[in-house]
Amino acid sequence: MYGNYLDDAAKIVAEKREENLKFEHARLTAEQKDDLLLKFHPDRIKEQFTELKIGPNKGQKAPIELAEMLQAKPRLEPEKIDLNHIDYESDVLVIGGGGAGTSAAIMASEAGAKVLLVTKLRVGDANTMMAEGGIQAADKPNDSPAQHYLDCYGGGHFDGKPELVYTLVNKAPGVIKWLNDLGVEFDKMSDGTMVTTHGGGTSRKRMHACKDYSGAEIMRTLRDETFNRADSITVVDFTAAIELIKNDKGEACGAVLMNIETGEIRIAKAKVVIIATGGAGRMHYQGFPTSNHYGATADGLVLAYRAGAKLLYQDSLQYHPTGAAYPTQILGKLVTEKVRSLGAKLINKDGEVYIHPLETRDVNASGIIREVKEGRGVKNDVQDAVWLDTPMIEMIHGEGTILKSIPAMYNMFIKYGIDIRKEPILVYPTLHYQNGGVEIDKTCHTNVPNLLVAGEASGGVHGTNRLMGNSLLDVVVFGREAGIEAGKMFKDIKLSEKMNLDHVKAFEKERAAAKISGDAVSPKVLPTYHHGNKEFDKEIPGATL
């Protein structure tokens, strides 16, 4: 047991477990959902957002922390950068080494392109690696891409760009086959049929998983395939892109790179640039903990915005309802939605099932925040929270289900003496996904010529809320689409002779005219967790001052 004051709180859940197991909470009506979101979702707290004063989205709102980065001082001084000294030359430059970046690199390579993949950590150090629950695809007889479309479009509050949602769901079955053929070890029945389950907001069982290591298994496979193509894909790791480069036609044609260990500057020249830098959880919007990997600092949005690319839904973030809230060591770590799809219910301090466990993520996150704010949360010395009653899983499916289906969850908690087979766990929303990002079309083009964006750094695929399993799908579908498109484009593009950073100079003038002050520089590159020691920052090239 917890061995402290939480034991008594957990006993209340245990005493009502049989009763709660039989109780099926009604789904909320559309009106009830809207009311809950309006009152409790973090995206609806007006004072946590500010109006952008400069750039393509001037006049629109953005989270305070993101707005600061979008409008901050550039990390470099254009006059001090020698663009004539080229360190890397390629057909396609991919910035980011997660699921989208590797998928893009693989497909561009397949088309005959010489690819340079640059990543500020290592290939695979990405949110893709952190994903657990699964990847959606309508590939069973009782399902269809049309049904998947309705779930996805509706789950995103009808805000998704229709052509992007259409591409996502129609490419999904083919992506599952592609991943399976590459060697992803999907869960399968004895006859080889893939196991599929429900996720929040899904009307069919279309979640394909690899136990609860889905993202890690997919990333392992994509990373291996990337390295297997070493003859056409060059990987440069521990190197961050800190500015895009344009030519005299205003087209993207490369990037200024910085080795994050030494601070050395390098110049990469390319015919096509693909941004696949992932999310923003390490920005810790509104002080929330995050499930994201260490490098998720919205760099791609900053680079694209400064180059003139429009953003879409930059004010929409996903707070996963079930982040670990106890103990301190795993605060914010993802507790996969698969736990709820297997039958675990959300319980307040009074032992009551207060909401259906598979409402959409924004609704369930808002429900947890409501319970805590209205005094029905479980108070503890880490993060007030609600219970997720995991012992229900084996009561439903039989002994051994947890170790078979969600071993990562068991392992994460047992390290701290919590056996999720016997004890409920405490959960609270964690900053999980960047719903908005750089606006793209169905082939990943932005409004900046020769600049493509794929994966979590893009906006419009999920509207203003994402369903479980559509993130892994998004990064692979649109990562592939970006790579395929770049593989077509590079054959008709010549390497630029006249490169410049004029857009950076123009941005600085716009910044000065808007009287934006402050010492913040962007892109952020790495988060900092010390307490304002600027001398410490100077010792780590790329850290935020």
Side-chain angles (χ1 to χ4, degrees), residues 511-527:
R511 191 172 177 273
K515 297 180 180 179
I516 296 173
S517 59
D519 295 327
V521 295
S522 66
K524 195 177 184 75
V525 181
L526 294 174

Side-chain angles (χ1 to χ4, degrees), residues 57 66 95 99-101 127 159-161 163-165 167-168 274-280 298-305 309-318 433-447 451-466 470-482:
N57 292 77
L66 177 60
I95 304 171
N127 283 345
D159 290 326
K161 292 181 71 171
E163 66 271 27
L164 298 185
V165 183
T167 301
L168 181 80
I274 300 174
I275 287 178
T277 51
D299 293 354
L301 273 64
V302 172
L303 296 177
Y305 194 71
K310 295 177 181 177
L311 305 182
L312 181 64
Y313 302 135
Q314 69 279 353
D315 57 337
S316 178
L317 287 303
Q318 180 168 86
Y433 197 85
Q434 182 176 270
N435 288 330
V438 184
E439 185 170 4
I440 61 170
D441 64 15
K442 64 182 181 180
T443 50
C444 301
H445 283 277
T446 69
N447 60 292
L451 176 64
L452 311 180
V453 178
E456 196 175 348
S458 70
V461 181
H462 308 288
T464 49
N465 180 61
R466 179 180 64 78
N470 277 348
S471 60
L472 285 175
L473 182 60
D474 171 12
V475 301
V476 182
V477 165
F478 287 99
R480 279 173 50 88
E481 291 303 299

Side-chain angles (χ1 to χ4, degrees), residues 146-429:
Q147 191 64 46
H148 188 180
Y149 182 98
L150 293 174
D151 289 347
C152 182
Y153 193 51
H157 302 297
F158 305 97
D159 290 326
K161 292 181 71 171
E163 66 271 27
L164 298 185
V165 183
Y166 181 89
T167 301
L168 181 80
V169 302
N170 279 285
K171 298 287 184 179
V175 156
I176 295 294
K177 183 181 184 306
W178 183 67
L179 291 172
N180 186 64
D181 290 346
L182 283 178
V184 172
E185 296 285 349
F186 286 110
D187 296 340
K188 296 175 182 177
M189 292 182 278
S190 58
D191 64 356
T193 303
M194 290 194 190
V195 174
T196 51
T197 59
H198 269 302
T202 60
S203 59
R204 299 288 188 278
K205 292 182 178 181
R206 67 172 72 96
M207 204 68 55
H208 301 65
C210 313
K211 293 183 169 53
D212 56 348
Y213 294 103
S214 302
E217 171 62 10
I218 289 172
M219 192 68 252
R220 175 196 67 80
T221 306
L222 293 173
R223 181 196 60 203
D224 287 353
E225 181 64 17
T226 298
F227 287 138
N228 286 341
R229 293 173 173 266
D231 59 331
S232 57
I233 301 175
T234 299
V235 174
V236 179
D237 54 12
F238 295 108
T239 299
I242 58 171
E243 209 67 68
L244 294 180
I245 301 171
K246 288 184 169 183
N247 60 23
D248 54 345
K249 298 178 182 177
E251 300 165 332
C253 63
V256 180
L257 312 176
M258 181 184 72
N259 183 299
I260 66 169
E261 296 177 303
T262 66
E264 292 175 283
I265 297 298
R266 294 286 182 265
I267 304 300
K269 185 177 184 180
K271 297 177 180 178
V272 183
V273 179
I274 300 174
I275 287 178
T277 51
R282 292 288 167 169
M283 300 284 282
H284 292 290
Y285 298 123
Q286 301 185 36
F288 270 81
T290 185
S291 64
N292 284 191
H293 82 105
Y294 188 61
T297 51
D299 293 354
L301 273 64
V302 172
L303 296 177
Y305 194 71
R306 201 137 61 213
K310 295 177 181 177
L311 305 182
L312 181 64
Y313 302 135
Q314 69 279 353
D315 57 337
S316 178
L317 287 303
Q318 180 168 86
Y319 296 82
H320 195 292
T322 54
Y326 186 94
T328 302
Q329 296 93 325
I330 54 173
L331 176 64
K333 290 285 189 179
L334 183 63
V335 176
T336 174
E337 194 165 307
K338 192 173 182 180
V339 175
R340 285 175 283 134
S341 71
L342 286 170
K345 295 182 180 180
L346 294 162
I347 312 287
N348 63 23
K349 75 176 180 66
D350 301 317
E352 298 171 340
V353 178
Y354 63 89
I355 200 168
H356 193 286
L358 292 181
E359 293 285 3
T360 55
R361 288 181 171 178
D362 54 352
V363 170
N364 258 324
S366 299
I368 293 172
I369 293 171
R370 178 193 65 193
E371 295 301 294
V372 169
K373 284 190 173 182
E374 294 186 350
R376 295 183 295 277
V378 181
K379 291 191 172 297
N380 69 85
D381 57 8
V382 178
Q383 168 66 64
D384 291 353
V386 299
W387 294 108
L388 182 57
D389 200 5
T390 49
M392 285 183 168
I393 292 171
E394 299 206 336
M395 292 174 70
I396 297 169
H397 302 286
E399 188 176 338
T401 301
I402 285 176
L403 289 179
K404 179 182 177 182
S405 299
I406 47 172
M409 291 297 95
Y410 173 82
N411 290 331
M412 184 165 76
F413 283 94
I414 200 66
K415 291 178 184 176
Y416 307 103
I418 300 169
D419 188 340
I420 68 173
R421 299 171 299 180
K422 303 173 182 177
E423 306 158 84
I425 56 179
L426 288 168
V427 295
Y428 189 79

Side-chain angles (χ1 to χ4, degrees), residues 84-105:
N84 293 314
H85 183 82
I86 308 300
D87 298 283
Y88 304 102
E89 196 172 280
S90 63
D91 296 318
V92 178
L93 168 63
V94 178
I95 304 171
T102 51
S103 294

Side-chain angles (χ1 to χ4, degrees), residues 31-48:
E31 292 75 18
Q32 289 172 325
K33 291 178 183 179
D34 288 343
D35 184 60
L36 182 60
L37 291 169
L38 182 63
K39 291 179 180 177
F40 295 101
H41 196 276
D43 280 358
R44 309 300 177 93
I45 303 174
K46 293 181 179 179
E47 59 268 26
Q48 295 293 337

